[in-house]
Amino acid sequence: MLEPSWIESANDPVAPFPLNNLPHCVFSRTGDPGAGWRLGVGIGDSILDIGALAETGVIAPPAGHEDAFRAPSWNPFMAAGPEAWAAFRNRLQVLLSADRRSQDGEGDADGDRDAVGRALVPQSAATLHMPFTVAEYTDFYAGIHHASNVGTMFRGPENALPPNWLHIPIGYNGRASTVVVSGTPVHRPWGQLKPRGADVPVFAPSRRFDIELEMGAVVGLPSVMGQPVSVAEADRMIFGYVILNDWSARDIQAWEYQPLGPFQAKATATTISPWIVTQAALAPFRVPGPRRETELLPYLREPGPMSHDIELDVSLRPSGSETATSIARTNFQELYYSPAQQLCHHTSSGCRMNIGDLLGTGTISGPERKNCGSLLEISWGGKNPIHLQGGEERRFLEDGDSVVMTGWAQGDGYRIGFGTCEGTVHPAIDPPDWAT
Ligand code: MN
């Protein structure tokens, strides 16, 4: 059920940020570069300035983490742990609720509302930044339809899924340095490409630049080097989720990926949505994982439902066009391995995980063409063009294309929205003069 707020814009049944959600962001006031980056929580069409509210004493930072609300990222708050996360959420729900203030024994309720009102910033007056500092970025490959489709194209239908795929959540260590927030321009990458039939590669801008629709799990608690964690422990370590676009150059990937996996094909940029939707907000949308094709090893078995029912949509808008065309619609539930299983597996070798680690799920494709989360799959390797409203066709991304990913969990009379993960492709930057 929708939890009503005294902030009216939060009570719209299709608005992304009702009181049930309270996603975490980092923002600055647009046009005021001196104002700095501040922690915020989305409510209706506003952002609650957490730093400003903490200065009034209406909310308190977690004990032992007194600077957490003055930081320009959520990492110091995440370090306070799940009890502090829950206490913060509960306090905000009391302060913002239309109903609960009479039950709140603390302080002066009218004075609290005045303080909250003074700390609200319209989203239209804010610029959103990276919500957390990415410690390291790992990308998985946990979508069974995506892995089957790409494997069929790269290796043939008889070798679609590698022999390890149904046993291991496959991943690679990506780059944290180029994880960027929604709206950051992305330049077409240069790289080594080997045209079909050629004997040697060329160095050129990618001709098969692509998207990957994923979600990102934000790790909020560290693990100890040498010590594997269980799936249940891994689940408690996840602070929340963002939408993630793992930009991918398919021609660079096809030439470079054996034997160590993707490298430069995936290093250009990874775009995330600016709002961390917390695990707590998604709790009503937990669902069991899929039926297993083969029994998993005991360390990877899930003790409870750890997937989520989250609708996902991708749209593409060409340069100069007003019209965005929805090109894919899918659901988080299509993942074969949950983020908790991925995180458990990541620690299985004794690999230490840190606060702010980001785990990409892998491309989330569904069973049909209209459910595929990459252009590679939708156009089937460029063979079947995608028809956009307005008459243009696409096989892969053109310069000027804007891609917008959105997601939401549909509740009874409310939505938990993720905001948007947007990026526009800019032309490749002229390379240096190689002789100098
Ligand atoms: Mn990926």
Side-chain angles (χ1 to χ4, degrees):
M1 294 289 285
L2 178 82
E3 295 179 43
S5 172
W6 54 269
I7 296 173
E8 273 305 317
S9 60
N11 299 328
D12 178 340
V14 295
F17 302 153
L19 183 56
N20 309 58
N21 192 348
L22 301 177
H24 295 32
C25 72
V26 168
F27 74 100
S28 59
R29 287 176 193 254
T30 308
D32 186 3
W37 291 20
R38 310 182 67 84
L39 301 187
V41 166
I43 178 74
D45 56 14
S46 294
I47 297 170
L48 182 58
D49 183 334
I50 297 303
L53 193 60
E55 280 161 30
T56 70
V58 168
I59 53 169
H65 301 265
E66 275 69 25
D67 290 333
F69 291 155
R70 285 195 284 268
S73 92
W74 283 96
N75 298 49
F77 174 76
M78 290 193 273
E83 286 178 22
W85 309 343
F88 176 62
R89 177 176 173 83
N90 187 56
R91 179 69 183 139
L92 291 183
Q93 289 201 314
V94 168
L95 289 169
L96 295 167
S97 171
D99 304 332
R100 284 174 66 184
R101 79 173 156 162
S102 57
Q103 303 158 22
D104 178 23
E106 293 175 52
D108 158 23
D110 289 324
D112 288 352
R113 276 198 189 182
D114 288 345
V116 168
R118 285 193 298 275
L120 292 173
V121 178
Q123 285 175 35
S124 57
T127 302
L128 298 171
H129 305 287
M130 281 293 292
F132 67 106
T133 305
V134 181
E136 295 187 68
Y137 165 51
T138 305
D139 194 33
F140 285 87
Y141 190 54
I144 194 165
H145 300 289
H146 174 72
S148 301
N149 288 336
V150 173
T152 300
M153 277 183 265
F154 279 39
R155 291 180 297 274
E158 59 290 347
N159 299 310
L161 281 184
N164 54 8
W165 200 93
L166 293 171
H167 302 277
I168 299 182
I170 294 175
Y172 66 92
N173 288 303
R175 292 295 304 175
S177 59
T178 35
V179 178
V180 294
V181 74
S182 178
T184 305
V186 174
H187 288 271
R188 180 178 299 276
W190 287 80
Q192 282 205 19
L193 333 169
K194 191 161 165 296
R196 193 177 294 274
D199 293 329
V200 293
V202 297
F203 187 74
S206 170
R207 296 157 195 171
R208 298 185 141 216
F209 196 41
D210 196 358
I211 57 168
E212 289 194 339
L213 168 63
E214 307 193 15
M215 301 223 31
V218 181
V219 176
L221 285 179
S223 70
V224 176
M225 183 174 171
Q227 193 172 313
V229 304
S230 68
V231 175
E233 287 171 314
D235 186 56
R236 286 192 290 273
M237 288 166 63
I238 296 172
F239 180 69
Y241 292 94
V242 293
I243 302 172
L244 185 150
N245 182 357
D246 178 30
W247 303 88
S248 299
R250 302 302 178 190
D251 37 12
I252 299 173
Q253 185 178 357
W255 171 234
E256 77 174 1
Y257 87 105
Q258 288 180 318
L260 287 185
F263 183 45
Q264 292 304 294
K266 307 274 193 170
T268 302
T270 304
T271 303
I272 63 167
S273 53
W275 304 93
I276 306 174
V277 174
T278 61
Q279 282 253 60
L282 292 169
F285 305 97
R286 279 183 179 256
V287 291
R291 190 181 66 79
R292 302 296 165 188
E293 307 276 328
T294 183
E295 196 174 11
L296 293 175
L297 289 168
Y299 83 102
L300 281 175
R301 291 181 199 153
E302 295 175 297
M306 294 200 179
S307 188
H308 291 93
D309 181 2
I310 300 169
E311 292 286 327
L312 297 163
D313 182 272
V314 185
S315 66
L316 192 156
R317 183 172 54 78
S319 171
S321 169
E322 296 292 304
T323 311
T325 303
S326 175
I327 58 171
R329 186 74 181 269
T330 183
N331 192 293
F332 186 100
Q333 289 182 76
E334 300 290 354
L335 289 170
Y336 193 78
Y337 296 104
S338 66
Q341 286 173 311
Q342 296 171 8
L343 179 52
C344 161
H345 181 65
H346 211 325
T347 67
S348 61
S349 61
C351 176
R352 187 202 333 259
M353 302 305 293
N354 289 310
I355 295 167
D357 278 343
L358 174 65
L359 309 186
T361 56
T363 308
I364 306 173
S365 293
E368 296 182 41
R369 186 185 185 213
K370 67 184 181 201
N371 310 126
C372 286
S374 69
L375 300 179
L376 177 72
E377 295 167 85
I378 305 172
S379 74
W380 202 255
K383 290 191 180 69
N384 307 319
I386 301 156
H387 300 282
L388 303 178
Q389 291 167 36
E392 292 196 44
E393 290 185 350
R394 284 292 179 279
R395 290 170 167 81
F396 293 95
L397 295 168
E398 306 272 340
D399 290 347
D401 284 353
S402 289
V403 176
V404 176
M405 298 176 173
T406 59
W408 65 95
Q410 182 64 56
D412 177 10
Y414 72 99
R415 280 183 175 181
I416 301 293
F418 283 77
T420 58
C421 176
E422 186 269 336
T424 298
V425 181
H426 290 244
I429 294 174
D430 285 342
D433 179 350
W434 308 115
T436 59

